mmCIF file of all heavy atoms in Angstrom:
data_model
loop_
_atom_site.group_PDB
_atom_site.id
_atom_site.type_symbol
_atom_site.label_atom_id
_atom_site.label_comp_id
_atom_site.label_asym_id
_atom_site.label_seq_id
_atom_site.Cartn_x
_atom_site.Cartn_y
_atom_site.Cartn_z
ATOM 1 N N THR V 1055 1.338 4.865 1.197
ATOM 2 C CA THR V 1055 0.775 5.904 2.111
ATOM 3 C C THR V 1055 1.742 7.079 2.278
ATOM 4 O O THR V 1055 1.585 7.883 3.165
ATOM 5 C CB THR V 1055 0.556 5.278 3.482
ATOM 6 O OG1 THR V 1055 1.771 4.710 3.959
ATOM 7 C CG2 THR V 1055 -0.564 4.161 3.384
ATOM 8 N N MET V 1056 2.767 7.102 1.397
ATOM 9 C CA MET V 1056 3.785 8.145 1.594
ATOM 10 C C MET V 1056 3.303 9.550 1.217
ATOM 11 O O MET V 1056 3.969 10.511 1.614
ATOM 12 C CB MET V 1056 5.029 7.784 0.777
ATOM 13 C CG MET V 1056 4.833 7.917 -0.756
ATOM 14 S SD MET V 1056 6.203 7.337 -1.700
ATOM 15 C CE MET V 1056 5.936 5.625 -1.709
ATOM 16 N N PHE V 1057 2.294 9.660 0.428
ATOM 17 C CA PHE V 1057 1.920 10.958 -0.130
ATOM 18 C C PHE V 1057 1.012 11.725 0.832
ATOM 19 O O PHE V 1057 0.041 11.166 1.286
ATOM 20 C CB PHE V 1057 1.236 10.762 -1.483
ATOM 21 C CG PHE V 1057 2.132 10.031 -2.497
ATOM 22 C CD1 PHE V 1057 1.605 8.981 -3.194
ATOM 23 C CD2 PHE V 1057 3.412 10.472 -2.696
ATOM 24 C CE1 PHE V 1057 2.396 8.300 -4.146
ATOM 25 C CE2 PHE V 1057 4.207 9.799 -3.643
ATOM 26 C CZ PHE V 1057 3.718 8.721 -4.364
ATOM 27 N N ARG V 1058 1.328 12.970 1.064
ATOM 28 C CA ARG V 1058 0.557 13.802 1.933
ATOM 29 C C ARG V 1058 -0.028 15.057 1.265
ATOM 30 O O ARG V 1058 -0.849 15.772 1.876
ATOM 31 C CB ARG V 1058 1.453 14.255 3.098
ATOM 32 C CG ARG V 1058 1.936 13.153 4.031
ATOM 33 C CD ARG V 1058 0.804 12.516 4.850
ATOM 34 N NE ARG V 1058 1.265 11.447 5.691
ATOM 35 C CZ ARG V 1058 1.171 10.180 5.396
ATOM 36 N NH1 ARG V 1058 0.683 9.839 4.185
ATOM 37 N NH2 ARG V 1058 1.619 9.221 6.213
ATOM 38 N N SER V 1059 0.386 15.327 0.021
ATOM 39 C CA SER V 1059 -0.118 16.474 -0.708
ATOM 40 C C SER V 1059 0.199 16.243 -2.204
ATOM 41 O O SER V 1059 0.983 15.385 -2.562
ATOM 42 C CB SER V 1059 0.571 17.736 -0.223
ATOM 43 O OG SER V 1059 1.862 17.913 -0.795
ATOM 44 N N PRO V 1060 -0.468 17.039 -3.072
ATOM 45 C CA PRO V 1060 -0.301 16.825 -4.539
ATOM 46 C C PRO V 1060 1.147 17.135 -4.951
ATOM 47 O O PRO V 1060 1.554 16.697 -6.060
ATOM 48 C CB PRO V 1060 -1.213 17.885 -5.160
ATOM 49 C CG PRO V 1060 -2.240 18.177 -4.088
ATOM 50 C CD PRO V 1060 -1.507 18.009 -2.790
ATOM 51 N N SER V 1061 1.960 17.855 -4.130
ATOM 52 C CA SER V 1061 3.307 18.151 -4.529
ATOM 53 C C SER V 1061 4.317 17.125 -4.073
ATOM 54 O O SER V 1061 5.489 17.229 -4.409
ATOM 55 C CB SER V 1061 3.665 19.518 -3.976
ATOM 56 O OG SER V 1061 3.585 19.565 -2.533
ATOM 57 N N ASP V 1062 3.841 16.131 -3.309
ATOM 58 C CA ASP V 1062 4.738 15.015 -2.955
ATOM 59 C C ASP V 1062 5.047 14.264 -4.243
ATOM 60 O O ASP V 1062 4.247 14.293 -5.200
ATOM 61 C CB ASP V 1062 4.124 14.096 -1.929
ATOM 62 C CG ASP V 1062 4.062 14.708 -0.528
ATOM 63 O OD1 ASP V 1062 4.793 15.738 -0.297
ATOM 64 O OD2 ASP V 1062 3.355 14.196 0.322
ATOM 65 N N CYS V 1063 6.178 13.553 -4.259
ATOM 66 C CA CYS V 1063 6.716 13.103 -5.535
ATOM 67 C C CYS V 1063 7.114 11.602 -5.608
ATOM 68 O O CYS V 1063 7.488 11.037 -4.566
ATOM 69 C CB CYS V 1063 7.982 13.852 -5.870
ATOM 70 S SG CYS V 1063 7.661 15.617 -6.166
ATOM 71 N N PHE V 1064 6.913 11.042 -6.745
ATOM 72 C CA PHE V 1064 7.729 9.862 -7.153
ATOM 73 C C PHE V 1064 9.100 10.353 -7.587
ATOM 74 O O PHE V 1064 9.244 11.473 -8.047
ATOM 75 C CB PHE V 1064 7.044 9.138 -8.365
ATOM 76 C CG PHE V 1064 5.728 8.510 -8.092
ATOM 77 C CD1 PHE V 1064 4.538 9.166 -8.177
ATOM 78 C CD2 PHE V 1064 5.692 7.144 -7.757
ATOM 79 C CE1 PHE V 1064 3.339 8.546 -7.938
ATOM 80 C CE2 PHE V 1064 4.511 6.478 -7.505
ATOM 81 C CZ PHE V 1064 3.318 7.201 -7.618
ATOM 82 N N GLU V 1065 10.041 9.435 -7.528
ATOM 83 C CA GLU V 1065 11.415 9.780 -8.045
ATOM 84 C C GLU V 1065 11.711 8.914 -9.278
ATOM 85 O O GLU V 1065 11.561 7.707 -9.183
ATOM 86 C CB GLU V 1065 12.481 9.598 -6.951
ATOM 87 C CG GLU V 1065 13.836 10.025 -7.421
ATOM 88 C CD GLU V 1065 14.900 10.057 -6.265
ATOM 89 O OE1 GLU V 1065 14.525 10.639 -5.216
ATOM 90 O OE2 GLU V 1065 15.954 9.543 -6.432
ATOM 91 N N LEU V 1066 12.073 9.553 -10.377
ATOM 92 C CA LEU V 1066 12.491 8.868 -11.553
ATOM 93 C C LEU V 1066 13.871 8.289 -11.420
ATOM 94 O O LEU V 1066 14.641 8.646 -10.504
ATOM 95 C CB LEU V 1066 12.359 9.802 -12.753
ATOM 96 C CG LEU V 1066 10.979 10.486 -12.977
ATOM 97 C CD1 LEU V 1066 11.042 11.367 -14.194
ATOM 98 C CD2 LEU V 1066 9.878 9.423 -13.112
ATOM 99 N N THR V 1067 14.272 7.433 -12.375
ATOM 100 C CA THR V 1067 15.526 6.770 -12.271
ATOM 101 C C THR V 1067 16.715 7.722 -12.404
ATOM 102 O O THR V 1067 17.825 7.395 -11.989
ATOM 103 C CB THR V 1067 15.650 5.692 -13.440
ATOM 104 O OG1 THR V 1067 15.344 6.281 -14.657
ATOM 105 C CG2 THR V 1067 14.711 4.500 -13.191
ATOM 106 N N ASN V 1068 16.496 8.898 -12.977
ATOM 107 C CA ASN V 1068 17.584 9.887 -13.063
ATOM 108 C C ASN V 1068 17.581 10.853 -11.901
ATOM 109 O O ASN V 1068 18.365 11.857 -11.921
ATOM 110 C CB ASN V 1068 17.498 10.648 -14.362
ATOM 111 C CG ASN V 1068 16.297 11.516 -14.494
ATOM 112 O OD1 ASN V 1068 15.326 11.397 -13.713
ATOM 113 N ND2 ASN V 1068 16.297 12.398 -15.517
ATOM 114 N N GLY V 1069 16.743 10.642 -10.886
ATOM 115 C CA GLY V 1069 16.727 11.471 -9.721
ATOM 116 C C GLY V 1069 15.729 12.626 -9.847
ATOM 117 O O GLY V 1069 15.474 13.309 -8.821
ATOM 118 N N VAL V 1070 15.144 12.860 -10.993
ATOM 119 C CA VAL V 1070 14.130 13.924 -11.155
ATOM 120 C C VAL V 1070 12.873 13.466 -10.395
ATOM 121 O O VAL V 1070 12.451 12.328 -10.405
ATOM 122 C CB VAL V 1070 13.819 14.138 -12.604
ATOM 123 C CG1 VAL V 1070 12.508 14.965 -12.793
ATOM 124 C CG2 VAL V 1070 14.962 14.823 -13.345
ATOM 125 N N ARG V 1071 12.288 14.426 -9.695
ATOM 126 C CA ARG V 1071 11.118 14.168 -8.856
ATOM 127 C C ARG V 1071 9.850 14.660 -9.579
ATOM 128 O O ARG V 1071 9.810 15.756 -10.114
ATOM 129 C CB ARG V 1071 11.249 14.871 -7.516
ATOM 130 C CG ARG V 1071 12.324 14.254 -6.681
ATOM 131 C CD ARG V 1071 12.660 15.061 -5.448
ATOM 132 N NE ARG V 1071 11.557 15.262 -4.559
ATOM 133 C CZ ARG V 1071 11.026 14.405 -3.707
ATOM 134 N NH1 ARG V 1071 11.606 13.240 -3.584
ATOM 135 N NH2 ARG V 1071 10.015 14.728 -2.915
ATOM 136 N N ILE V 1072 8.864 13.762 -9.666
ATOM 137 C CA ILE V 1072 7.633 14.055 -10.370
ATOM 138 C C ILE V 1072 6.470 14.072 -9.485
ATOM 139 O O ILE V 1072 6.202 13.091 -8.741
ATOM 140 C CB ILE V 1072 7.424 13.059 -11.560
ATOM 141 C CG1 ILE V 1072 6.112 13.266 -12.318
ATOM 142 C CG2 ILE V 1072 7.527 11.637 -11.048
ATOM 143 C CD1 ILE V 1072 6.048 12.471 -13.628
ATOM 144 N N PRO V 1073 5.747 15.188 -9.341
ATOM 145 C CA PRO V 1073 4.646 15.257 -8.431
ATOM 146 C C PRO V 1073 3.639 14.100 -8.614
ATOM 147 O O PRO V 1073 3.323 13.728 -9.727
ATOM 148 C CB PRO V 1073 3.972 16.616 -8.678
ATOM 149 C CG PRO V 1073 5.134 17.405 -9.175
ATOM 150 C CD PRO V 1073 5.967 16.476 -10.002
ATOM 151 N N CYS V 1074 3.151 13.590 -7.463
ATOM 152 C CA CYS V 1074 2.421 12.316 -7.436
ATOM 153 C C CYS V 1074 0.971 12.398 -8.072
ATOM 154 O O CYS V 1074 0.378 11.394 -8.374
ATOM 155 C CB CYS V 1074 2.285 11.811 -6.023
ATOM 156 S SG CYS V 1074 1.305 12.885 -4.936
ATOM 157 N N LEU V 1075 0.518 13.590 -8.253
ATOM 158 C CA LEU V 1075 -0.834 13.799 -8.861
ATOM 159 C C LEU V 1075 -0.743 14.757 -10.000
ATOM 160 O O LEU V 1075 -0.188 15.852 -9.876
ATOM 161 C CB LEU V 1075 -1.798 14.364 -7.816
ATOM 162 C CG LEU V 1075 -3.229 14.664 -8.260
ATOM 163 C CD1 LEU V 1075 -3.964 13.346 -8.639
ATOM 164 C CD2 LEU V 1075 -4.004 15.446 -7.202
ATOM 165 N N GLY V 1076 -1.235 14.354 -11.154
ATOM 166 C CA GLY V 1076 -1.155 15.217 -12.297
ATOM 167 C C GLY V 1076 -2.563 15.751 -12.780
ATOM 168 O O GLY V 1076 -3.557 15.090 -12.492
ATOM 169 N N TYR V 1077 -2.605 16.903 -13.360
ATOM 170 C CA TYR V 1077 -3.817 17.468 -13.913
ATOM 171 C C TYR V 1077 -3.893 17.144 -15.374
ATOM 172 O O TYR V 1077 -3.033 17.597 -16.150
ATOM 173 C CB TYR V 1077 -3.882 18.973 -13.671
ATOM 174 C CG TYR V 1077 -5.061 19.640 -14.324
ATOM 175 C CD1 TYR V 1077 -6.313 19.352 -13.967
ATOM 176 C CD2 TYR V 1077 -4.882 20.612 -15.326
ATOM 177 C CE1 TYR V 1077 -7.446 19.906 -14.548
ATOM 178 C CE2 TYR V 1077 -5.985 21.229 -15.940
ATOM 179 C CZ TYR V 1077 -7.268 20.886 -15.558
ATOM 180 O OH TYR V 1077 -8.320 21.483 -16.164
ATOM 181 N N GLY V 1078 -4.831 16.336 -15.806
ATOM 182 C CA GLY V 1078 -4.947 15.895 -17.200
ATOM 183 C C GLY V 1078 -5.731 16.916 -18.013
ATOM 184 O O GLY V 1078 -6.688 17.513 -17.521
ATOM 185 N N THR V 1079 -5.361 17.122 -19.314
ATOM 186 C CA THR V 1079 -6.040 18.116 -20.132
ATOM 187 C C THR V 1079 -6.589 17.492 -21.456
ATOM 188 O O THR V 1079 -6.918 18.248 -22.344
ATOM 189 C CB THR V 1079 -5.036 19.252 -20.472
ATOM 190 O OG1 THR V 1079 -3.968 18.775 -21.223
ATOM 191 C CG2 THR V 1079 -4.594 19.956 -19.179
#
Side-chain angles (χ1 to χ4, degrees):
T1055 57
M1056 70 184 83
F1057 302 130
R1058 296 289 180 264
S1059 78
S1061 60
D1062 286 346
C1063 296
F1064 289 89
E1065 186 170 311
L1066 303 180
T1067 51
N1068 65 349
V1070 167
R1071 292 168 58 79
I1072 177 170
C1074 65
L1075 178 67
Y1077 174 63
T1079 63

